[in-house]
Amino acid sequence: MSTANTNKLPEDSSNDLIPGSKTYKKVDPPDVQQLGANSWSLLHTVAASYPKKPSVTQKDEMKQFLNIFSHIYPCNWCAADFEKYIRENAPKVESREELGRWMCDAHNKVNVKLGKPKFNCDFWEQRWRSGWDD
Ligand SMILES: Cc1cc2nc3c(=O)[nH]c(=O)nc-3n(C[C@H](O)[C@H](O)[C@H](O)COP(=O)(O)OP(=O)(O)OC[C@H]3O[C@@H](n4cnc5c(N)ncnc54)[C@H](O)[C@@H]3O)c2cc1C
């Protein structure tokens, strides 16, 4: 007959939580990959919610945002390359479609650098705004 204690309490996992918190786990800071995936989500989603016909102010703010983003992105070598990309390929901010494709091309530049396949930019809007029919 087994001597296992069937009344055993669930394993104590309080050490996984931040001291004093009943909710927040001790999650480590993001690495370059996690930071990248989350940042691309933000960038593509910002492009996907950009107006179809932006005002002069909205165009200006988008250019400023991308410029500042490329200066403060917390991965030095990523930021330097993104800044260079922006310098050589000025962000296209005349419409949502233009910006969405520009962002897709910018992301593909990084994909290629990292040896990853290119994403088909014909599908940027399904991926980041409308979703898929099927
Ligand atoms: C501005 C910037 C510069 C970066 N530079 C570097 C670098 O120099 N070195 C480095 O190691 N990492 C860099 N990264 C991180 C890198 O791009 C990836 O985010 C990271 O490697 C994680 O990759 P992933 O496989 O999770 O998918 P990610 O490349 O993060 O993609 C996430 C999702 O976006 C979709 N997607 C992929 N490509 C496109 C596209 N072209 N258009 C639209 N949607 C797309 C796909 O559904 C994919 O699953 C950079 C990230 C950013 C935001």
Side-chain angles (χ1 to χ4, degrees):
M1 199 176 116
S2 167
T3 55
N5 180 359
T6 49
N7 293 325
K8 202 174 159 193
L9 288 168
E11 208 168 291
D12 181 11
S13 61
S14 59
N15 197 36
D16 294 343
L17 297 173
I18 293 173
S21 173
K22 292 182 175 147
T23 311
Y24 295 113
K25 289 188 175 171
K26 290 177 184 165
V27 178
D28 284 330
D31 58 21
V32 170
Q33 281 71 38
Q34 289 172 316
L35 175 69
N38 289 327
S39 299
W40 284 123
S41 281
L42 172 70
L43 290 169
H44 289 297
T45 310
V46 163
S49 66
Y50 190 64
K52 285 184 175 175
K53 291 183 180 172
S55 65
V56 172
T57 305
Q58 286 168 321
K59 291 183 213 175
D60 201 43
E61 284 177 349
M62 184 55 67
K63 282 191 250 180
Q64 285 182 52
F65 165 70
L66 291 169
N67 212 20
I68 293 168
F69 183 93
S70 77
H71 293 162
I72 64 167
Y73 190 66
C75 155
N76 294 345
W77 63 93
C78 310
D81 282 0
F82 193 52
E83 189 187 4
K84 183 166 179 274
Y85 186 83
I86 288 179
R87 227 183 304 122
E88 294 172 354
N89 306 270
K92 295 189 176 166
V93 296
E94 290 304 313
S95 68
R96 178 190 303 158
E97 174 62 20
E98 254 197 25
L99 183 63
R101 285 203 171 248
W102 181 90
M103 200 67 80
C104 185
D105 289 338
H107 192 163
N108 271 338
K109 179 82 177 176
V110 181
N111 287 341
V112 169
K113 182 173 83 169
L114 299 180
K116 298 182 189 189
K118 277 190 179 183
F119 184 95
N120 183 343
C121 291
D122 289 344
F123 295 111
W124 81 266
E125 198 163 10
Q126 282 96 323
R127 172 65 178 89
W128 295 106
R129 185 179 169 90
S130 62
W132 308 87
D133 290 336
D134 51 354

